[in-house]
Amino acid sequence: MLANYAFIAIFFVAAVTFPLAPLVLAFFLRPKRPTPIKQSTYECGLEAIGDLRVQFKVQYYLYALAFVIFDIEVVFLYPWAVAFNQLGLYGFTAAAVFLIILTAGLIYEWRKGALEWV
Amino acid sequence: MATVIQIIFGLIAALIVGAAVMVVTVRNVIHAALWLIACFFGVGALYLLLEAEFLAVVQVLVYVGAISILILFAIMLTRQVTGEGVRQLVGGWRLWLTAAISALLFAVAIVPTVISHSWNVPAPPAPPGTPEPLAGVAELGRAFVYEFLLQFQVAGVLLTVALIGAIVIAFEERARRRRVLTLAEEHELRKRLAHPPPVEAPAGEPAPAPRATPISEGEVQQ
């Protein structure tokens, strides 16, 4: 079974090294003579004022919670989807009921307006 | 073959331990959270190495996907990100005392267990090469539908309850909905502010100043 994941590992290593190698290479090759003019922000708008990070509103946490709920739903649906061919109409109905229950929550959230971006 | 797996395990373990050390040493909380995600990812790879596929998928979905999102959102909601000005138990003997007490309590719990436990690990029963009866993902899916149908549906109800409860607790209706004006609306607003409608103000009192704050939806449509 692990041999199947060897390809993923190879892809992972390639995906990490491919963008990293030019950066590392450039770090050693490039000349470093910074001046204040070179390091200034040009053609990119104004100088930033204050901290980059601001305190967000608590309501944004709702989006995270909704995401987590449907993430867990995927955890439940994943084994069902793998076994789908062996389960027939009965299994489909069982998962459909499960989905309808969760969709009720989604519809409630939608109607309540909690999905709208503030 | 065994050595290859040991090498892979060593790499993954190094990733996990290194990321975990970075979590507790990095000053910036957001960077700590990102290192924590790397740590979770390494644990998922470890599950994969143990041939626990489903557990690895759940680890990536729940921890790398969901838990880290919750942590990052919680950090975004806090005011001080860089940790400056946060009161903490700084330095000196008090820090060491706390660490010593914690270590002592843990030792009291773990040492008798280690001593009294019989460490006779049973030999692997099947010769290598025979397929092991692992509970596969497909069997789990079948069990969800047949043996544990009620629990499956109850889990769905539980998730829905969590969603609705989160809305009830955290969501507040916005009576005055504010939004960004379109260009036409802004133009209309400017025109109205430049030529305020005649107000029947009694003589001697100045007319009320036009409001410059963002206006509600109903007012724009007039």
Side-chain angles (χ1 to χ4, degrees), chain B residues 63-218:
Chain B
Y63 280 85
V64 177
I67 302 283
S68 57
I69 288 287
L70 282 184
I71 291 173
L72 282 173
F73 264 73
I75 292 171
M76 272 161 49
L77 293 173
T78 54
R79 211 171 299 139
Q80 291 273 347
V81 173
T82 48
E84 293 155 12
V86 178
R87 262 193 63 211
Q88 52 185 348
L89 199 63
V90 179
W93 57 275
R94 275 196 297 180
L95 197 62
W96 287 106
L97 186 67
T98 317
I101 289 172
S102 311
L104 194 71
L105 286 176
F106 181 69
V108 164
I110 201 72
V111 165
T113 313
V114 171
I115 291 172
S116 64
H117 187 75
S118 58
W119 291 100
N120 295 325
V121 179
T130 51
E132 291 179 17
L134 275 174
V137 182
E139 286 169 50
L140 197 64
R142 225 181 21 237
F144 272 167
V145 176
Y146 288 109
E147 288 100 317
F148 303 113
L149 179 64
L150 181 64
Q151 286 90 331
F152 184 48
Q153 307 296 354
V154 166
V157 173
L158 194 66
L159 287 174
T160 310
V161 166
L163 184 62
I164 293 174
I167 294 166
V168 167
I169 290 171
F171 182 68
E172 42 187 70
E173 303 271 355
R174 289 180 289 275
R176 281 172 60 95
R177 185 171 300 157
R178 294 186 171 189
R179 61 192 178 85
V180 178
L181 300 180
T182 63
L183 207 60
E185 285 167 352
E186 195 182 329
H187 188 67
E188 179 74 22
L189 185 65
R190 276 177 201 282
K191 230 164 53 182
R192 236 179 55 197
L193 291 179
H195 310 284
V199 189
E200 290 92 20
E205 282 182 28
R211 293 187 308 182
T213 48
I215 57 175
S216 64
E217 216 168 352

Side-chain angles (χ1 to χ4, degrees), chain A residues 2-110:
Chain A
L2 279 175
N4 298 332
Y5 289 99
F7 290 105
I8 294 180
I10 291 169
F11 271 116
F12 185 75
V13 171
V16 170
T17 47
F18 198 69
L20 220 57
L23 287 176
V24 173
L25 214 62
F27 179 79
F28 287 113
L29 290 181
R30 69 187 172 209
K32 266 170 281 187
R33 283 185 291 274
T35 62
I37 305 238
K38 271 187 196 170
Q39 291 186 329
S40 66
T41 312
Y42 62 100
E43 292 187 354
C44 295
L46 302 171
E47 294 281 338
I49 299 170
D51 199 5
L52 168 69
R53 301 191 187 89
V54 292
Q55 190 181 9
F56 283 73
K57 280 200 279 186
V58 180
Q59 290 196 347
Y60 289 118
Y61 206 63
L62 266 186
Y63 301 107
L65 284 175
F67 167 72
V68 168
I69 301 267
F70 291 107
D71 204 42
I72 306 299
E73 176 194 353
V74 170
V75 171
F76 280 101
L77 286 182
Y78 164 60
W80 167 77
V82 172
F84 183 77
N85 281 332
Q86 311 165 19
L87 296 178
L89 189 63
Y90 170 70
F92 177 74
T93 316
V97 172
F98 178 77
L99 272 180
I100 286 170
I101 293 171
L102 272 160
T103 311
L106 179 65
I107 289 172
Y108 173 79
E109 189 184 21
W110 193 353

Side-chain angles (χ1 to χ4, degrees), chain B residues 28-77:
Chain B
N28 193 325
V29 188
I30 287 182
H31 293 172
L34 294 178
W35 279 110
L36 192 63
I37 293 174
C39 187
F40 287 155
F41 205 79
V43 174
L46 212 58
Y47 284 144
L48 212 56
L49 201 67
L50 293 169
E51 306 202 353
E53 266 180 311
F54 182 65
L55 213 53
V57 170
V58 169
Q59 169 79 15
V60 170
L61 267 176
V62 173
Y63 280 85
V64 177
I67 302 283
S68 57
I69 288 287
L70 282 184
I71 291 173
L72 282 173
F73 264 73
I75 292 171
M76 272 161 49
L77 293 173

